[in-house]
Amino acid sequence: MTGARGVPADAPVVVAARRTWVGTAGHGHRALTEVDLAAGALRATLVDTCSLGVADDPADVVLGCCTGPGGNVARVAALAAGAGVAVPGLTVDRQCASGLAAVLVAAQQVRAGEARLVLAGGTESASRAPARAHRTPGGDVPFERAAFAPVPWADPAMGAAADELARRRGVTRARQEAYALRSHARALAAHRAGRLDAETVRLGAPRRALARDERARRLDPAVLARLAPAFSPDGTVTAATASPVSDGAAAVAVVPERVRRDLGAPGLRVLASATVGCDPALPGWGPVPAVRAVLARAGVALDDVAAVEVVEAFAAQVLAVTDALGLDPLGDAADDARVCADGGALALGHPWGASGALVIVRLFSRLVRAGAPAGTLGLATAAVGGGLGVAALVEVVR
């Protein structure tokens, strides 16, 4: 059985997508936990699905989260958002791609015929994440971070890995700074034009609630040029070309095509996805094989894709990936218009467990809310510590 334009009736389609404004850790959302943030995004998404005519409780809530307190954040957030007591929850940790992985899990549940509605996304509160320590006979030792790869594999911190990727792929500091300037300028323009308003929800006390993504600002090229390397003595990545530690959440509603068709609502069909591994020494490279795999799986070329959203963990990483894929957001006019057109994590913020879902929300706004015709393609991708890449190809359906 197929739906409109030959779309399979059980094809997973995103019909609603919302996110919080993103706060810099320790600032705008410092009083909110990962559950508070997730519940706000989930609640707004549930309201949107109800307004479309979906009366069902979600069959599941799937959320990415990297640094939360455990206790199944997705289940707690589902209850906090007002979902029925019968709604379960699944918390996913694929590090910076956790939110995207959660959306893909929801899509698989729908495609398998197990659900008429699944809410998925991600959440992170770096401000409120628990402090951890290793217990040793000599006392507690502060826990800095989990291992991304075991001995004898390389296990670099993400900043040092971005420096190494820039060195190996020839991404200069000047290009990184130019890309950071572009990201912030695009985000500021999107805020001024109100292009982000429909996808966001304000949380917290009225006088303290963020009304925009907190990090976006006007950057001075002269100041950027004077910044010291942030992660390696001879590196090229600085504080301005690395994404900030952030708090935020994003959520989407996924239904089968037959439900979407009955509702008469536009959406984003999850056309194909790919999750791959790469060298743990160069985790930022992961989107390259992931994007190549997802395009091959769908039988389309990158030139056929109208909108591309890359999780901008580091400017060096984005440029290494876009160079390898044949994209040029700093030079080619068409690529400049389709790669992170309203800025990305460098300017909007990078709440780790949520960022992968946030780029799906961005694609929903850029394509569905903006009125792109049926059949228009979008691509979301993220790199992951330990050497992974995740990519999803989506298609507008109307």
Side-chain angles (χ1 to χ4, degrees):
M1 182 179 178
T2 60
R5 298 180 183 270
V7 178
D10 58 355
V13 183
V14 174
V15 293
R18 298 290 288 272
R19 68 176 180 93
T20 68
W21 295 110
V22 179
T24 302
H27 293 274
H29 286 325
R30 65 184 180 276
L32 302 178
T33 68
E34 66 289 322
V35 168
D36 296 328
L37 294 164
L42 290 170
R43 195 177 298 114
T45 305
L46 276 171
V47 168
D48 289 349
T49 58
C50 287
S51 69
L52 293 174
V54 180
D56 311 54
D57 265 341
D60 206 352
V61 172
V62 187
L63 293 178
C65 189
C66 299
T67 63
N72 195 356
V73 169
R75 166 65 171 174
V76 180
L79 292 172
V85 71
V87 178
L90 171 65
T91 304
V92 175
D93 182 358
R94 210 187 280 275
Q95 293 297 292
C96 293
S98 297
L100 183 53
V103 174
L104 297 180
V105 168
Q108 290 160 1
Q109 289 179 322
V110 167
R111 188 181 289 113
E114 297 179 353
R116 282 175 47 87
L117 169 65
V118 181
L119 298 188
T123 185
E124 206 73 70
S125 173
S127 296
R128 298 288 298 273
R132 293 177 169 90
H134 289 291
R135 294 172 181 159
T136 73
D140 290 349
V141 176
F143 177 74
E144 295 184 6
R145 71 167 176 88
F148 294 133
V151 175
W153 294 95
D155 184 24
M158 298 306 289
D163 274 326
E164 179 62 13
L165 183 63
R167 185 187 69 79
R168 293 201 198 183
R169 303 302 301 183
V171 181
T172 66
R173 174 165 170 163
R175 288 185 70 212
Q176 294 174 50
E177 291 174 356
Y179 189 85
L181 287 165
R182 173 191 184 274
S183 185
H184 280 265
R186 292 301 178 87
L188 289 175
H191 281 112
R192 286 194 299 269
R195 286 195 297 273
L196 308 180
D197 294 350
E199 72 186 37
T200 50
V201 57
R202 294 182 66 173
L203 300 180
R207 292 185 179 181
R208 297 181 180 179
L210 289 181
R212 58 174 295 241
D213 297 300
E214 194 169 19
R215 184 71 170 185
R217 64 193 66 191
R218 191 186 69 81
L219 299 182
D220 184 340
V223 172
L224 266 59
R226 294 196 297 268
L227 294 175
F231 303 103
S232 310
D234 58 348
T236 54
V237 178
T238 69
T241 57
S243 59
V245 179
S246 306
D247 306 327
V252 303
V254 186
V255 301
E257 163 62 14
R258 63 180 177 275
V259 171
R260 183 211 67 81
R261 181 190 59 213
D262 291 344
L263 296 172
L268 286 180
R269 172 193 178 191
V270 181
L271 189 62
S273 65
T275 301
V276 303
C278 67
D279 184 351
L282 296 173
W285 185 252
V288 176
V291 167
R292 289 171 176 165
V294 80
L295 293 175
R297 193 164 291 167
V300 302
L302 189 54
D303 285 345
D304 299 325
V305 177
V308 178
E309 289 288 334
V310 183
V311 175
E312 292 178 351
F314 300 91
Q317 174 252 327
V318 176
L319 291 170
V321 167
T322 52
D323 286 352
L325 294 174
L327 295 166
D328 183 11
L330 289 177
D332 183 87
D335 292 343
D336 179 59
R338 63 176 173 157
V339 177
C340 298
D342 292 323
L346 288 168
L348 302 177
H350 185 11
W352 305 303
S355 291
L358 197 153
V359 293
I360 295 293
V361 175
R362 292 268 56 249
L363 286 175
F364 191 89
S365 286
R366 290 179 61 186
L367 298 176
V368 177
R369 288 189 172 103
T376 304
L377 298 178
L379 176 69
T381 188
V384 184
L388 287 83
V390 182
L393 187 69
V394 296
E395 175 189 34
V396 176
V397 288
R398 295 194 179 277

